[in-house]
Structure formats: structure tokens, C-alpha cells
Amino acid sequence: MLTDRPLTIGTLLRVFSRRIVLTWLMTLAETTLMALIPLFIGFAIDDLVEGRMENFWQLAGIMAALIVFAVIRRIYDTRAYGSVRVALGKEQAVRSSSLPVSALNARLSMGRELVDFLEQNLPDAMTAAVQLTVSVIVLYAFAPMLAVAAGAAAVAMVLIYALFHGRFFRLNSALNRQSEKQVSVFEQRKSRPIHVHLMRLRQHEIRLSDTEAVLYGLIFVVLLGLILFNLWFAASRLDMTVGTIFSIISYSWEFVESALALPVTLQTWSRLSEIMRRLNSVQVQAGPG
């Protein structure tokens, strides 16, 4: 299935499109139901305060449907993506048969990250996209200024990440290059080379972690500013019921949680871009470290 094709995310999507699309459809159904819950909680609060039960039972029905979709999707996902991992691993073993065992072992692990991206990161990004869209629509329905603030926060996040993309690519390249040496280093069974190798891995991981910490610190400043602004605006500038204010804050927080998936996805894509370049090379990448 993968013979004579580049080993990329796009290739996996084309070759295994039916299996992947089905998992994504179930993800979208689950996400849509999840996105409706805060809104119906607000409706249920207002109904219960007035002695009515209609929206309460609608909320219960949405939660029950959510559980059904969530369970079925997870059962199917494991089997579908497991088959993709097997096919990709077999093709990698054939193509990289001339590489040192150390590099082949590392690249097999890297190849699994492509499937992990399809199974975890892309569905998370789709979930976030749906939740972001619903959040902005609901906030706009309450007051356009709430949606404008959310949109401004999203733009700021993308601009912040753009400043870090190149550094993430370089740091992941250095980490992957060092990982390809691991088996050959261990085969020497000498404490000094093993120590040096592990220390270099640690150094690369620390640099990645420090970069992530700075990135997410800046992003959290933007997103928490959004929460504070929307809370202030809803409470002091709008004439709303308690249930409506709860929905506004819930959707503002949902926007924040969903927005965090954006830099995670972009960061993962930076790493996978380097991995795909490495997997489609028949040689071990040269470089320091």
C-alpha cells in the first residue's frame, strides 16, 4: 500500500482515507455534543430556577449521546490506527534495511509519531476547531465584543507561535539526530559513551522544554487576559441572567482550552516536518551532537 510513496502525513491520509475519515466523523459528532453542554447547562439553570424541567432533560439526553459516541470511537480508533502503524512499520523496515540498526530503531519510533499525530493531534485539533467556532458564535450571540476579544486572542496566539517555529524545528532535528545513535552507543557497553549520549539527550530535551515554557507562558498571558475581559464585560456592561453569565464564562473558558490545542498542533507539526524529511532519506543525517 505504501510502496513507492513518500512516507508523509498526506500519504497516510490518502492510503487509509476510509478508516481515518470514519474516526474523524465520530470525533466531530462527539465534539459537537460536548460543545453544546455549557449552553444547555445555562438553559437548565434558568429553567430549574423557574421550576421547569425541559432543558434539564435535554441536557441529560445530550450527555447520554456523548457517552455513546465517545465509547464507540475509542474502541474503533485503536484498531484502525493499529493497522496503519503495522503497515508503516513494515514499509520503513524495507526501505531502511541498509541503515545501521541504531538509526532504523530510532526511525521506527519516529514513524509511529506520524500515526500518533493522525490518531491524537489532528482529532484534538478538529475538536478544538469545532469548539472554537461554537464558542465564538455563542459569544457573538450574547455580545459581539465578546467574540471580537476571542478573535483577537486567537490571532495573537498564531503570531506568538510564528516566532518559535524555526527554533522548534532545529531543536527537534538535534534531538532526533542524537536518538538515531542510541542503539550503537549502547552496543559499545562502555559507561563513558553512554553517559555522554544520555547527557546530550537531556540537553536537547531541556532546550525544547525551556522553549515550550516560554511559548506557553506568553500564550497563557493572552488567554487569561481574555477570560478577565469577558468576565468584566459580561458582569458590568450587559444585563444578563445568572445562567447566561455562566454560559458566557463557560464558553470563554472553553475557547481558552480549545485555543491551547492550536500551538500544540503547530509544535507537533514542526517536529513531524523534520521527522518526515528524515524518514524519506536513505542516509543517517549528519550533524553535531
Side-chain angles (χ1 to χ4, degrees):
M1 290 183 287
L2 296 173
T3 305
D4 299 327
R5 297 172 183 261
L7 300 181
T8 64
I9 294 293
T11 297
L12 295 180
L13 285 173
R14 287 189 294 272
V15 173
F16 301 100
S17 58
R18 292 184 180 179
R19 300 177 190 181
I20 294 173
V21 167
L22 181 55
T23 67
W24 287 359
L25 289 175
M26 288 190 287
T27 297
L28 288 174
E30 179 184 343
T31 301
T32 301
L33 293 171
M34 181 72 76
L36 292 173
I37 286 178
L39 182 62
F40 277 85
I41 288 177
F43 292 159
I45 289 174
D46 288 338
D47 265 15
L48 291 172
V49 168
E50 296 178 6
R52 297 194 304 267
M53 296 289 291
E54 290 84 354
N55 285 314
F56 175 83
W57 292 117
Q58 289 178 358
L59 175 63
I62 290 173
M63 289 181 172
L66 174 62
I67 292 171
V68 172
F69 274 106
V71 171
I72 293 175
R73 181 181 68 82
R74 282 159 178 78
I75 291 173
Y76 179 77
D77 276 5
T78 303
R79 290 159 175 78
Y81 289 109
S83 299
V84 178
R85 288 188 180 90
V86 170
L88 179 59
K90 289 169 62 178
E91 183 64 23
Q92 283 184 261
V94 171
R95 295 190 188 190
S96 303
S97 58
S98 61
L99 291 180
V101 173
S102 182
L104 174 58
N105 178 71
R107 292 190 184 187
L108 285 173
S109 296
M110 294 176 198
R112 293 178 67 86
E113 292 188 37
L114 301 185
V115 186
D116 290 343
F117 181 76
L118 293 175
E119 182 178 8
Q120 300 168 13
N121 298 99
L122 271 186
D124 287 347
M126 292 168 56
T127 297
V130 172
Q131 291 176 331
L132 284 173
T133 301
V134 172
S135 297
V136 170
I137 291 173
V138 172
L139 291 174
Y140 185 88
F142 288 133
M145 181 56 69
L146 299 174
V148 170
V155 171
M157 285 176 52
V158 173
L159 293 177
I160 290 171
Y161 182 82
L163 299 175
F164 287 81
H165 172 74
R167 178 167 176 80
F168 276 123
F169 188 92
R170 292 190 298 273
L171 292 176
N172 278 302
S173 178
L175 178 61
N176 290 336
R177 186 165 55 244
Q178 190 65 41
S179 297
E180 287 186 339
K181 303 175 181 179
Q182 181 157 291
V183 173
S184 60
V185 170
F186 286 171
E187 285 178 339
Q188 298 178 37
R189 300 184 183 278
K190 296 180 180 179
S191 60
R192 178 62 182 170
I194 291 175
H195 175 76
V196 170
H197 167 72
L198 294 176
M199 289 300 294
R200 285 175 177 168
L201 284 177
R202 175 179 178 270
Q203 184 180 46
H204 296 318
E205 290 165 348
I206 287 175
R207 288 173 178 170
L208 269 170
S209 178
D210 289 348
T211 303
E212 291 173 1
V214 174
L215 170 64
Y216 285 99
L218 294 173
I219 287 174
F220 268 115
V221 169
V222 172
L223 294 178
L224 293 181
L226 169 66
I227 290 291
L228 293 175
F229 173 81
N230 280 3
L231 175 59
W232 168 80
F233 191 86
S236 63
R237 292 290 188 267
L238 302 176
D239 183 18
M240 299 286 186
T241 65
V242 174
T244 301
I245 292 178
F246 172 83
S247 293
I248 289 174
I249 300 308
S250 295
Y251 276 101
S252 296
W253 183 250
E254 185 169 293
F255 180 92
V256 168
E257 291 183 318
S258 303
L260 288 175
L262 178 60
V264 170
T265 303
L266 293 174
Q267 181 185 341
T268 304
W269 184 256
S270 296
R271 173 168 174 76
L272 293 182
S273 297
E274 201 285 327
I275 286 177
M276 287 186 287
R277 185 184 68 173
R278 189 174 295 270
L279 293 183
N280 289 286
S281 170
V282 295
Q283 296 180 344
V284 177
Q285 300 289 323

